[in-house]
Amino acid sequence: RRTTDFIPHPLRYFIEFAYNGTHYHGWQGQPDTPKTVQHALEQNLSMVLRTTLAVVGAGRTDAGVHARQQFAHFDFVGEILPHELVYKLNACLPKDIAVRNVIPVHEGAHARFDARRRTYEYHIHKRKDPFLEQLSFQYMHRLNVAAMNQAAQLLFNYNDFECFSKVKTDVGTFICQIFKAEWTETAYHLVFTISADRFLRNMVRAIVGTLIDVGLGKKTLADVTRIIESKDRNQAGFSVPAQGLYLTKIEYDYIPDTQD
């Protein structure tokens, strides 16, 4: 006589959260670096749900980079009350990480591969401001923002951005589709907003550094075209500091827009 034990099927959940990346070595967990956002989230999620859990993030952010909206998915056997889990996680997570939502999704949903659009912002402040020390890049040189916006428009002519990628990377392709790239300016602040289907390691910070060179008059529009076509990181501009970079939005076909 044979008996078959019933094995409960795990359900998949998306978790939406935000963080100030100042005190973390980036998103991705590393064996020799426990101070990562992924480690903090997994540790507290496992404690609250009383089982060891792993989360899969929508993408990596480097040390010091912030996220106003980030997603990850995890699998769990058992009932979850989303609002209750949000409350419990926020009660035990560090003050610089905040959970916004826990969302049941279909079992094939994937936080990284299903994201159809990601948006980053890079923030620059043009005068000394102690309240922005770790949250924006202080840069007080005069910049030609109109020229920087003209140069940003050149990005739409291409889809291979190897010239803006970290040199040592394990990606299989440097192809990205850019949907938006523009600078906005107020009296003392500059913000660069860029949206794409995917981003390469260090890509946004290298693009911003290159556009700053245009704003300084060090590079022309023709130079930017030449840089992109060269596929050579050494030809592009400097990589701006991490503290000005924010992951601000990730879009999925099956997740409603939850941002205010």
Side-chain angles (χ1 to χ4, degrees):
R1 183 179 177 179
R2 297 172 59 190
T3 60
T4 302
D5 293 333
F6 173 72
I7 301 176
H9 188 69
L11 300 178
R12 179 155 292 184
Y13 296 86
F14 270 33
I15 185 166
E16 179 190 357
F17 54 102
Y19 54 86
N20 179 326
T22 301
H23 302 296
Y24 294 93
H25 295 280
W27 154 256
Q28 188 162 332
Q30 304 165 48
D32 56 343
T33 309
K35 191 70 172 179
T36 66
V37 180
Q38 183 180 17
H39 180 266
L41 190 61
E42 287 179 341
Q43 186 179 49
N44 287 277
L45 188 63
S46 298
M47 179 180 67
V48 170
L49 294 178
R50 299 182 180 181
T51 186
T52 301
L53 292 171
V55 300
V56 177
R60 292 186 287 194
T61 55
D62 291 335
V65 175
H66 317 292
R68 288 205 177 99
Q69 184 182 60
Q70 172 71 290
F71 283 93
H73 74 250
F74 67 95
D75 296 330
F76 180 70
V77 176
E79 183 181 8
I80 285 179
L81 299 176
H83 292 295
E84 182 179 303
L85 181 56
V86 169
Y87 174 81
K88 289 181 177 180
L89 283 172
N90 281 330
C92 59
L93 279 165
K95 291 182 179 180
D96 47 13
I97 303 175
V99 174
R100 303 300 189 202
N101 286 293
V102 173
I103 307 162
V105 292
H106 61 276
E107 64 178 353
H110 198 286
R112 178 184 174 191
F113 298 134
D114 291 355
R116 60 181 176 81
R117 181 167 177 156
R118 298 166 168 87
T119 300
Y120 281 88
E121 290 179 359
Y122 194 84
H123 289 247
I124 294 173
H125 57 291
K126 298 184 284 184
R127 66 175 179 178
K128 189 174 182 180
D129 188 333
F131 301 105
L132 295 176
E133 178 61 27
Q134 298 298 328
L135 300 174
S136 179
F137 174 37
Q138 179 181 303
Y139 196 80
M140 294 186 286
H141 295 283
R142 187 180 297 276
L143 295 169
N144 183 339
V145 179
M148 291 161 67
N149 264 324
Q150 285 182 300
Q153 295 306 298
L154 296 174
L155 299 172
F156 295 107
N157 298 334
Y158 298 91
N159 60 14
D160 187 324
F161 297 104
E162 184 173 358
C163 68
F164 297 126
S165 174
K166 205 175 187 71
V167 176
K168 294 182 179 179
T169 182
D170 56 359
V171 299
T173 176
F174 297 97
I175 302 300
C176 309
Q177 181 182 0
I178 292 180
F179 305 113
K180 180 179 182 178
E182 67 176 12
W183 289 91
T184 55
E185 183 180 23
T186 60
Y188 298 108
H189 295 87
L190 273 172
V191 178
F192 179 63
T193 303
I194 184 167
S195 298
D197 60 343
R198 63 189 290 266
F199 287 92
L200 306 169
R201 291 285 307 276
N202 206 240
M203 177 175 167
V204 179
R205 291 163 64 187
I207 288 175
V208 172
T210 303
L211 297 180
I212 285 176
D213 282 346
V214 172
L216 292 170
K218 292 182 177 180
K219 287 185 172 62
T220 65
L221 299 184
D223 289 331
V224 174
T225 296
R226 175 184 53 77
I227 288 166
I228 297 173
E229 293 179 354
S230 76
K231 302 183 181 182
D232 182 359
R233 177 65 186 90
N234 292 323
Q235 300 295 315
F238 70 106
S239 179
V240 289
Q243 72 263 24
L245 185 59
Y246 294 74
L247 174 60
T248 60
K249 193 170 186 176
I250 305 176
E251 298 173 53
Y252 300 89
D253 289 331
Y254 47 80
I255 300 290
D257 187 352
T258 57
Q259 290 185 311
D260 294 334

